[in-house]
Amino acid sequence: MTDTTFATPDRAAPAGTERRAGRDLLRRSRCKPAEILFWLAAAASFFLLPDRHLLLSEIAILGLFALSLDLIIGYAGVVSLGHGAFFGLGAYVAGLTSIHLTAEPLTGLALAALAAGLLGLLTGPLLLLRASDLTRLMVTLGVAMLLLEAANRAAWLTGGADGLQGVMIDPLLGRFEFDLFGRTAYGYCLVVTFALFLIARRVVTSPYGLSLRAIRDNALRARSMGIPVGPRLLAIYAFSALIAGIAGALLTQTTMFVSLDVLAFHRSADVLLVLVLGGVGYLYGGLIGAIAFKLLQDWFSALTPQYWMFWMGLVLLVIVLVGRDRIDALPRAILHRFRREGRA
Amino acid sequence: MTTILIDGIAYGMLLFVMASGLAVTLGLMNFVNLAHGAFAMIGGYVTALAMNRLGMPFLLTLPLAFLVPALIGAVAERMLYARLYRRSHLDQVLFSIALVFMAMTAADWLLGSSQMLVTLPGWLQGRFEIAGIGIGRYRAFLIVLCAVLVVALQLVLARTRFGARLRAAVDDQRAARGLGIDVGGIFAATFAMGSGLAGLSGALGIELMGLDPTFPLKIMVYVLIVVTIGGTASLTGPFLAALIIGTADVAGKYYIPELGAFLIYLLMIVLLILRPQGLIAPAR
Amino acid sequence: MSAALQTIALEKRFGGLTATDKVSLTLRHGARHALIGPNGAGKTTFVNLLTGVLPANGGQILLDGQDVTRKGQIQRARLGMGRTFQINQLFGAMTPVESIGLAVSERMGGGADFWRRVGTRSDILNEIAELVERFRLTEVMDHPTRLLPYGKQRLLEIALALAANPRVLLLDEPAAGVPEAERAELLETLAQLPRDVSILLIEHDMDLVFAFADRITVLVNGGLFAEGSVAEIMADRRVQDVYLGSEDHG
């Protein structure tokens, strides 16, 4: 079998067709102006909003966490109710590393990534047992709850309900001290998030990423084409877990504290909400959703301090009832209208 | 030992009644409803408020604990749920999580975050002995009541015209409509029944699980575990699963308290590995 | 020389019902072989057994002489078993170029490459262009698949199977549901499929069978009923009674 069975001279395709095919395939990986604008704005926020660095760090971490969830929901079609497990594990590993091993932040980050990725690799096969959404929900939730219980019981290691005390982080790269105002913290979170975003973007626009989209679209056909569905899903699950672990580690390193709360159910539910706010399946959804979530949270908390979750639930309810695809299409529709009116 | 077994069975039966509505909506309508526990909470609060504020006797509040959530369920089904039957599971999960959060905050806001306490009537307190085995009166009451409910539920689904229509509507909606069956009405009635049963079991469960605004979340985990490992091909699967989970949870808390909630999650994952198609696999 | 595909006493039971009853069938290299039979004859079950969607209860399946009876769907596909589906199984959100590109890169073993950007390998692009032209998809190559006219979707269905460079191709009612206006295009394309691919056509439409196939197998009640050249089957009284006759009624 050669790879050029069809490339017989008399059937050679016109170069035009090939060029058009190439354009279509490169469409997704091409960098759009809006993307450059987005990251420029992110960089500008570092210089222009110095008194908001703490909040901005939180947003970057939440955004990275939601981005990791987008990889499995938006690209692999696996709904998870327990993504907080990886976030929490990453947070604890980073904290424990700083206490028992080294206070150097990048080592903690790497170990957290490794641990979370490994947990993803180990628990991922459970998701493939029965490809029903309910089973996947419950397995992910179950793993997260087991981890929460474990952290709660192993108080000698994790501090239990009191949280992990005594986390100290050395200056970043030996030069940038983590300050009270979160300047270093935000710079650190922003750079890490940006780097991981670039990697994730590269992955989803690769042939592997294309195969994930195909599996999500029609697993039956993907199988009949010889695509090994299980291993492909497992790989993205582990990769997503790894990124979630890094997000957790960032939280530990920038707040110098870990509480059981990192593993609580609401983490997993919140991040789902964040992703849905921003839109599923285009990587920016998590980041944009994190900004929207934090702004809404601020606003609702100002309205009714204790009951902001009610309003958040209402927003989510409306989004689902109106239809996510319709809301996702809204900016484009507005733009379209704008252009038409401009022409008229 | 036997006492613990009986406690576990009582707890398991209660879990089954709680989960049965979810098993039906999931199995028949393929709807992932994480907000099922919210209806259980409503039932619980109806009983607690009727007893504590209106001074109604426990038994008399139980029909109310069924009816109020059933009514709310019927309205919610027609106005909200029915729009989402054809949507993706992700949408259904998001929608029902939103409902859970709203229900929890609303309960907190209206009734406060503290535990609701109820005092059972004297004849349900304490224990009696049969052949030297101590049995809690309330546990015995639960077993009998839930057994009646289970049998009634099975009969309704298997023997009545309603059950037949429901199965027809699920098998082939279009054909059922062609036969003049009001599919929307059937689904609403089914949903209402499931919500009512959840509410009733919520009221019955105050004594065992307590009642506060986090109730929906706590219940959600238990009923979802029951349905996941039981499968939705029949009600027998969830019934067995509920008994296993109920007994394991009670026994675990008694014998190996260090394990805590560990046990049921572990059990769920192990059972899923052993029987990925559910305890009772669907016939192929 | 071994056959491209061979089944030996292949059997499938669902409970008490025998869906495939000891079917032995040989598909020669480069064959244009049609499998026909009335509704419920077990044609789809047979395809599902061949491709590994369903496990067989008994018998053997040989792909180019290699026993694949116990192999899974994915492995069989990798060994050269291609198929199309009776009901389109396409990637609705992807364009024909993306779908075909996926099939080609998977075949070349580059499907797990997570670092290369899609669309940067000229050998793959060349082959995509080739297939797009061959299957008359040039006009719509960069449109979302779910928006294509049905006839074009049907063509893409076959293009995806062929992109995997199969040795054996199972076409499950390729013309089903295609409107009259788009039919000629489809039939022409079918006629021009590469000769070195051995094809088993599962079909209901007798015009298509007679135009396409050189050999016909008739399946009735899950069992082999008759086999022969087109002329032999057309002349066979029993086949006319059982199958061609029933066509008029149903």
Side-chain angles (χ1 to χ4, degrees):
Chain A
M1 257 195 311
T2 57
D3 287 336
T4 50
T5 318
F6 314 118
T8 41
D10 57 313
R11 291 197 63 94
T17 311
E18 210 174 302
R19 265 203 305 279
R20 230 175 103 198
R23 259 205 313 278
D24 185 49
L25 288 178
L26 286 168
R27 178 172 43 97
R28 276 169 192 276
S29 56
R30 205 181 312 117
C31 188
K32 285 125 203 130
E35 294 188 72
I36 300 173
L37 220 61
F38 179 88
W39 289 107
L40 279 179
S45 69
F46 179 76
F47 298 103
L48 299 180
L49 299 167
D51 49 339
R52 292 291 166 86
H53 278 166
L54 289 173
L55 178 72
L56 287 168
S57 304
E58 277 177 46
I59 292 179
I61 292 168
L62 188 59
L64 183 63
F65 184 25
L67 184 149
S68 76
L69 184 65
D70 197 11
L71 286 176
I72 62 162
I73 292 188
Y75 290 87
V78 174
V79 189
S80 165
L81 259 188
H83 212 51
F86 306 115
F87 183 85
L89 182 66
Y92 272 109
V93 169
L96 292 170
T97 304
S98 90
I99 295 174
H100 301 291
L101 213 60
T102 166
E104 200 280 310
L106 293 180
T107 313
L109 209 62
L111 287 179
L114 213 64
L118 209 62
L119 182 67
L121 214 52
L122 288 176
T123 56
L126 293 172
L127 297 177
L128 306 172
L129 283 178
R130 178 166 47 161
S132 103
D133 285 333
L134 180 70
T135 311
R136 289 173 168 179
L137 283 177
M138 290 317 291
V139 167
T140 49
L141 180 70
V143 169
M145 292 291 151
L146 277 178
L147 222 58
L148 174 63
E149 277 296 308
N152 190 18
R153 300 282 149 176
W156 53 273
L157 184 68
T158 62
D162 298 331
L164 189 63
Q165 315 273 352
V167 178
M168 291 301 290
I169 303 294
D170 279 350
L172 186 61
L173 303 173
R175 286 181 58 193
F176 305 101
E177 190 92 35
F178 282 93
D179 53 300
L180 270 180
F181 312 102
R183 187 181 162 80
T184 306
Y186 183 46
Y188 179 43
C189 291
L190 204 57
V191 169
V192 171
T193 300
F194 181 57
L196 286 170
F197 168 82
L198 286 183
I199 295 173
R201 192 180 189 284
R202 184 97 197 197
V203 168
V204 300
T205 55
S206 70
Y208 168 66
L210 187 63
S211 76
L212 284 180
R213 278 171 58 210
I215 291 169
R216 200 197 137 181
D217 212 335
N218 192 339
L220 174 68
R221 184 68 195 229
R223 261 190 211 99
S224 87
M225 283 165 61
I227 299 177
V229 172
R232 295 278 164 92
L233 290 182
L234 189 57
I236 195 71
Y237 192 68
F239 179 54
S240 160
L242 181 146
I243 296 185
I246 293 181
L250 286 178
L251 183 72
T252 300
Q253 296 181 340
T254 55
T255 57
M256 312 230 175
F257 179 68
V258 191
S259 74
L260 271 184
D261 187 63
V262 293
L263 283 164
F265 172 75
H266 77 85
R267 284 265 170 203
S268 304
D270 282 356
V271 73
L272 207 55
L273 204 161
V274 166
L275 181 59
V276 169
L277 274 180
V280 179
Y282 71 108
L283 288 190
Y284 282 93
L287 303 174
I288 294 171
I291 301 171
F293 183 85
K294 282 288 176 194
L295 289 178
L296 281 176
Q297 194 182 17
D298 258 17
W299 190 49
F300 290 147
S301 303
L303 278 176
T304 47
Q306 276 171 295
Y307 307 115
W308 63 272
M309 266 325 285
F310 182 86
W311 302 111
M312 208 59 105
L314 192 64
V315 169
L316 185 57
L317 198 76
V318 170
I319 290 178
V320 175
L321 283 176
V322 172
R324 286 185 291 124
D325 38 347
R326 250 188 279 176
I327 290 176
D328 290 350
L330 199 64
R332 205 170 304 157
I334 292 172
L335 206 70
H336 192 71
R337 185 163 218 178
F338 230 64
R339 285 205 189 126
R340 242 196 349 222
E341 276 172 12
R343 246 177 277 151
Chain B
M1 168 72 188
T2 320
T3 311
I4 288 165
L5 191 66
I6 289 173
D7 277 10
I9 289 173
Y11 186 44
M13 304 266 280
L14 184 69
L15 277 183
F16 173 73
V17 175
M18 213 170 252
S20 59
L22 184 72
V24 171
T25 38
L26 191 77
L28 302 186
M29 304 172 200
N30 195 20
F31 194 102
V32 178
N33 181 20
L34 301 189
H36 193 68
F39 294 99
M41 177 182 74
I42 295 172
Y45 275 120
V46 166
T47 285
L49 292 178
M51 286 177 72
N52 295 347
R53 303 230 171 131
L54 305 177
M56 279 171 73
F58 178 67
L59 278 189
L60 273 186
T61 67
L62 292 183
L64 282 180
F66 177 89
L67 284 175
V68 174
L71 211 66
I72 296 175
V75 173
E77 199 276 345
R78 280 297 85 187
M79 287 180 61
L80 302 171
Y81 282 89
R83 295 162 192 263
L84 296 167
Y85 283 149
R86 285 167 189 283
R87 295 280 196 82
S88 68
H89 281 157
L90 175 61
D91 272 337
Q92 297 172 356
V93 164
L94 293 167
F95 165 80
S96 48
I97 284 194
L99 279 190
V100 170
F101 281 145
M102 289 171 74
M104 281 168 46
T105 359
D108 190 353
W109 183 56
L110 292 169
L111 300 159
S113 61
S114 55
Q115 283 276 345
M116 277 277 171
L117 298 173
V118 293
T119 316
L120 291 174
W123 57 275
L124 281 175
Q125 291 176 9
R127 25 179 75 212
F128 59 91
E129 289 206 359
I130 297 178
I133 299 160
I135 300 172
R137 287 175 198 276
Y138 189 64
R139 302 298 195 277
F141 169 75
L142 273 184
I143 292 178
V144 172
L145 185 61
C146 290
V148 171
L149 286 172
V150 169
V151 172
L153 188 65
Q154 197 63 45
L155 284 179
V156 166
L157 287 178
R159 296 284 169 79
T160 61
R161 257 167 75 92
F162 174 78
R165 286 169 171 230
L166 176 62
R167 275 177 280 126
V170 168
D171 276 350
D172 189 339
Q173 284 199 33
R174 224 185 311 157
R177 279 208 183 86
L179 291 171
I181 295 175
D182 174 13
V183 174
I186 297 254
F187 277 12
T190 311
F191 193 90
M193 196 170 76
S195 307
L197 285 175
L200 179 58
S201 52
L204 293 171
I206 302 176
E207 178 71 13
L208 274 68
M209 314 179 194
L211 177 66
D212 63 46
T214 63
F215 197 69
L217 221 49
K218 215 166 20 178
I219 295 309
M220 179 190 90
V221 174
Y222 277 95
V223 295
L224 282 174
I225 289 177
V226 165
V227 174
T228 309
I229 61 179
T232 51
S234 68
L235 282 177
T236 325
F239 184 67
L240 283 179
L243 287 184
I244 292 174
I245 291 294
T247 322
D249 201 30
V250 170
K253 276 179 184 147
Y254 187 82
Y255 289 115
I256 19 177
E258 322 76 67
L259 269 183
F262 230 87
L263 189 69
I264 54 164
Y265 296 115
L266 216 56
L267 197 61
M268 171 180 82
I269 289 175
V270 169
L271 282 173
L272 278 177
I273 292 172
L274 293 179
R275 303 214 49 112
Q277 301 302 323
L279 285 176
I280 310 268
R284 287 198 62 170
Chain C
M1 197 170 96
S2 66
L5 178 70
Q6 194 179 5
T7 67
I8 303 164
L10 196 62
E11 208 175 344
K12 178 71 194 174
R13 291 181 304 271
F14 295 105
L17 186 87
T18 305
T20 304
D21 192 2
K22 299 208 168 67
V23 174
S24 298
L25 182 136
T26 302
L27 188 71
R28 290 180 202 150
H29 282 286
R32 294 292 181 270
H33 195 135
L35 181 69
I36 64 172
N39 272 328
K43 292 179 304 229
T44 302
T45 305
F46 189 64
V47 172
N48 285 337
L49 289 177
L50 289 180
T51 51
V53 174
L54 293 172
N57 295 115
Q60 266 188 312
I61 304 167
L62 306 177
L63 181 62
D64 238 343
Q66 187 184 354
D67 189 341
V68 296
T69 320
R70 303 259 160 266
K71 295 207 186 310
Q73 215 179 333
I74 293 164
Q75 278 173 299
R76 289 188 208 187
R78 304 213 134 193
L79 288 170
M81 179 102 71
R83 79 172 292 189
T84 70
F85 292 81
Q86 196 178 337
I87 298 161
N88 279 341
Q89 296 292 341
L90 298 169
F91 306 114
M94 288 162 46
T95 64
V97 165
E98 286 176 320
S99 311
I100 295 173
L102 172 75
V104 173
S105 83
E106 287 293 338
R107 181 191 82 227
M108 292 182 174
D113 187 343
F114 60 87
W115 203 245
R116 183 174 68 79
R117 285 167 71 199
V118 167
T120 51
R121 260 178 72 171
S122 61
D123 53 339
I124 294 182
L125 279 179
N126 185 271
E127 210 172 307
I128 294 172
E130 203 73 55
L131 281 157
V132 161
E133 296 266 322
R134 178 192 277 272
F135 285 92
R136 298 153 206 255
L137 293 163
T138 318
E139 252 171 78
V140 294
M141 64 194 262
D142 43 15
H143 297 212
T145 298
R146 70 185 128 75
L147 302 180
L148 303 189
Y150 190 74
K152 294 286 181 199
Q153 291 193 8
R154 226 44 206 147
L155 282 165
L156 180 58
E157 178 80 28
I158 307 169
L160 282 189
L162 197 65
N165 211 352
R167 288 188 271 187
V168 170
L169 181 57
L170 311 175
L171 297 173
D172 196 352
E173 300 197 18
V178 177
E180 207 49 47
E182 297 172 64
R183 223 177 126 80
E185 191 177 42
L186 184 88
L187 297 191
E188 265 175 60
T189 317
L190 283 178
Q192 286 164 12
L193 288 174
R195 291 303 306 189
D196 57 345
V197 180
S198 319
I199 297 176
L200 183 66
L201 172 75
I202 293 89
E203 200 34 275
H204 221 70
D205 180 336
M206 293 314 290
D207 294 338
L208 177 57
V209 169
F210 291 144
F212 180 82
D214 43 32
R215 200 167 176 79
I216 298 177
T217 295
V218 186
L219 214 58
V220 174
N221 289 331
L224 200 72
F225 185 74
E227 189 179 327
S229 68
V230 174
E232 281 165 8
I233 294 295
M234 277 173 96
D236 192 327
R237 259 283 138 80
R238 294 181 313 138
V239 174
Q240 282 177 11
D241 288 346
V242 164
Y243 183 47
L244 304 180
S246 73
E247 182 98 318
D248 299 333
H249 308 294

